[in-house]
Amino acid sequence: MISRIRDYDYKYLKKRIKRSKYLLLMLLLPVTWYIIFNYIPIYGLLIAFQDFNLRLGITGSRWVGLMHFRRFFDHPFFWRLIRNTFLLNLYGLVWGFPMPIIFALLLNELRNVYFKRFVQTVSYLPHFISTVAVVGMLFMILSPSVGIVNQIISAMGGDTIHFLARAEWFRSLFIGSGIWQSMGWGAIIYLAALSGVSEEIYEAATIDGATRLQKIRHISLPSIMPTITILLIMNVGSMMSSATERVLLMQSPITFETSDVIGTFVFRMGLGMADFSFGTAVGLFNSVINLTLLFMANAFSRKILGNSLW
């Protein structure tokens, strides 16, 4: 009896694989990419616990345990890096996370289909502009000599401001440019969730005399709440990460007080100074913090809101 069941399961599985062979072939490339670039490099984390030497390799380098972690904890820039990384992500969460939600809710209320499509298309375009181009645009727009912002300030009788050379302006410019680039693209997933809400519910609310604001509050927002929760958990799980490429392009030694984050520090130490073990140790420490935050956010959401990643 058991052998018959096993034969049936095997035949059923073989039939499903044969039926889905083209989908499985499509999965082959991304799975291979993840294995090569995300799983195999995990072995390289060993150098965080070694005095790594390129000539000796991972297997021949001397084991030093937690020495590089202690070096980082005792580093004079340790608290500055933690503060800057956390604040950039906190401000991004407070200001950047709600924007795609608000934008999607407003787009959902548009009744003119053609205007709605136009706005959606325009809002998506910044996502496809490279980070280098976005930062280049910032430099041109905010240039103290030819930038349109400083020309307006001068025309109004004010003094020009070198925004990208002022540490106090870095966080605002970083968060603002990030919102502009990602808001439209980030709204797609919320619009997809809103498209699943039955129009009959909105019609019933209209008959009951509900205003647009009330329909947003009591129908639209609750319908996308599970999606919001999942994305919020994922954002909290990356609170100690940063868009290192954009930070590197925007920062200068003058703005290090507010712009120097863990990602840029790892880049300078690991690649700039060829201290591979120290850079890996700092990166591993950062990943452990992010993983801890992810588990905490997931547990909190599951207990309080009833939604979670797992």
Side-chain angles (χ1 to χ4, degrees):
M1 182 68 180
I2 295 175
S3 62
R4 288 182 179 178
I5 293 173
R6 287 177 178 172
D7 289 340
Y8 174 79
D9 289 341
Y10 174 73
K11 290 178 181 178
Y12 179 69
L13 178 62
K14 187 177 179 181
K15 186 178 179 181
R16 288 194 64 184
I17 291 174
K18 186 177 180 181
R19 187 172 55 195
S20 307
K21 59 183 178 182
Y22 294 114
L23 290 175
L24 293 173
L25 282 172
M26 289 175 65
L27 279 173
L28 184 62
L29 186 61
V31 168
T32 304
W33 186 90
Y34 271 100
I35 291 172
I36 294 174
F37 295 103
N38 288 276
Y39 287 96
I40 293 177
I42 291 177
Y43 174 70
L45 291 177
L46 286 173
I47 70 175
F49 306 94
Q50 297 177 328
D51 183 13
F52 180 69
N53 186 294
L54 277 174
R55 183 174 59 83
L56 298 175
I58 295 178
T59 55
S61 296
R62 183 170 61 92
W63 191 266
V64 295
L66 300 176
M67 184 186 78
H68 298 298
F69 294 92
R70 290 193 292 269
R71 281 179 61 197
F72 180 54
F73 298 149
D74 295 334
H75 200 280
F77 294 155
F78 175 77
W79 288 112
R80 185 180 78 176
L81 295 169
I82 297 294
R83 182 192 70 228
N84 289 342
T85 306
F86 179 75
L87 286 178
L88 276 183
N89 284 281
L90 180 64
Y91 294 154
L93 192 67
V94 171
W95 297 105
F97 184 77
M99 293 306 293
I101 302 171
I102 297 169
F103 185 61
L105 290 171
L106 293 175
L107 275 179
N108 191 57
E109 292 300 311
L110 289 177
R111 294 294 173 258
N112 189 316
V113 178
Y114 297 105
F115 181 68
K116 183 177 180 179
R117 289 176 181 174
F118 172 76
V119 173
Q120 282 181 280
T121 303
V122 171
S123 67
Y124 297 161
L125 289 178
H127 174 77
F128 298 99
I129 302 175
S130 71
T131 304
V132 176
V134 170
V135 176
M137 291 165 63
L138 269 179
F139 272 93
M140 288 189 293
I141 293 170
L142 301 176
S143 170
S145 55
V146 297
I148 186 171
V149 173
N150 274 302
Q151 287 183 5
I152 293 172
I153 292 173
S154 298
M156 296 176 67
D159 297 326
T160 58
I161 304 171
H162 198 332
F163 291 96
L164 290 165
R166 300 276 291 270
E168 63 270 22
W169 280 99
F170 180 84
R171 290 172 185 153
S172 299
L173 295 174
F174 182 85
I175 301 302
S177 61
I179 292 173
W180 175 76
Q181 191 174 15
S182 62
M183 182 182 70
W185 187 258
I188 291 176
I189 191 168
Y190 300 112
L191 288 169
L194 286 167
S195 66
V197 182
S198 175
E199 286 293 331
E200 294 177 357
I201 300 175
Y202 289 107
E203 290 172 4
T206 303
I207 293 171
D208 289 339
T211 62
R212 283 198 171 189
L213 190 60
Q214 289 173 327
K215 284 187 281 188
I216 290 174
R217 180 182 175 185
H218 298 288
I219 301 175
S220 300
L221 197 55
S223 67
I224 62 173
M225 191 54 67
T227 306
I228 293 173
T229 304
I230 297 300
L231 291 178
L232 181 59
I233 292 171
M234 295 175 69
N235 274 267
V236 172
S238 59
M239 279 294 288
M240 294 305 291
S241 299
S242 57
T244 305
E245 180 186 355
R246 188 148 53 91
V247 176
L248 281 170
L249 291 167
M250 290 180 62
Q251 74 174 185
S252 64
I254 304 173
T255 63
F256 271 5
E257 187 58 33
T258 57
S259 68
D260 199 17
V261 295
I262 292 176
T264 57
F265 183 73
V266 169
F267 178 81
R268 287 202 311 275
M269 300 302 296
L271 295 178
M273 301 184 67
D275 196 345
F276 303 114
S277 292
F278 184 52
T280 304
V282 177
L284 180 57
F285 164 78
N286 195 34
S287 298
V288 170
I289 296 298
N290 280 330
L291 186 62
T292 303
L293 290 171
L294 178 64
F295 275 94
M296 290 172 61
N298 189 73
F300 178 82
S301 177
R302 184 174 60 247
K303 186 175 182 180
I304 304 300
L305 303 175
N307 295 315
S308 62
L309 284 172
W310 63 84

